[in-house]
């Protein structure tokens, strides 16, 4: 199983309403794209200074399922519309669980 | 439950042996510090360019358990010895699950 973890820091120009729409788009990924066995989106709880804003944790059965997701045109369109324009920083890791 | 996710990018000066020791120190946290209900350390599988190097995902029963861990002197000493000197970048999120 492959776990895909992405951390997002939104840009200052992205207001609360825009951030909420980006998070909703992430949460729609199982319906819009699929191929994962689990997906969690967490918004930072404000417990520590200097944190990122949100994290996406997605599990895939194998590397091929992850690659299909990563290259999926609907996924790519979602990133272009709801994520990339509003990002200040992003970091990601994929690892074998 | 609080999920604490931290993403690490090691500095270029940290060689493979040093990185392995840092990851081992993270994996010892349940024994050395405790208070968590689950802990996973994932090293990037090299599936995408520009990724971070490792991710720590830790679950705590509640906010107080997370705060005790964050302030624990053994945890702080581990960060000072095995993490902070070898970091190029770090990002974190804590969220309610």
């Amino acid at each position: 199983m492959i776990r895909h973890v992405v951390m997002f820091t939104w840009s200052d120009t992205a207001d609360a309403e825009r951030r909420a729409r980006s998070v909703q788009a992430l949460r729609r990924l199982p319906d819009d794209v699929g191929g994962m066995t689990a997906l969690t989106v967490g918004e930072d709880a404000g417990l520590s200074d200097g944190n990122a804003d949100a994290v996406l944790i997605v599990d895939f059965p194998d590397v091929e399922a992850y690659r299909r997701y990563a290259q999926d045109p609907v996924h790519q369109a979602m990133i272009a519309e709801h994520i990339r324009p509003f990002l200040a920083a992003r970091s990601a890791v994929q690892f074998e669980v």
Side-chain angles (χ1 to χ4, degrees), chain A:
Chain A
M1 184 174 71
I2 290 287
R3 180 159 294 166
H4 170 54
V5 185
V6 190
M7 216 165 266
F8 305 96
T9 300
W10 307 121
S11 57
D12 293 341
T13 55
D15 63 19
E17 192 267 334
R18 174 61 260 178
R19 295 173 186 215
R21 286 172 58 202
S22 297
V23 167
Q24 285 159 12
L26 291 170
R27 289 197 168 122
R28 284 198 307 266
L29 282 166
D31 295 330
D32 297 348
V33 178
M36 61 282 289
T37 53
L39 180 142
T40 304
V41 181
E43 293 189 78
D44 187 58
L47 302 179
S48 305
D49 294 336
N51 272 5
D53 294 308
V55 63
L56 170 72
I57 304 174
V58 195
D59 289 349
F60 296 93
D62 51 41
V63 172
E64 288 69 32
Y66 164 71
R67 289 199 196 284
R68 280 193 302 273
Y69 158 86
Q71 293 153 12
D72 181 279
V74 173
H75 173 230
Q76 290 295 331
M78 186 282 286
I79 291 172
E81 180 184 355
H82 289 290
I83 306 296
R84 195 174 296 123
F86 312 106
L87 268 184
R90 172 192 181 278
S91 58
V93 164
Q94 296 89 34
F95 66 98
E96 288 275 346
V97 180

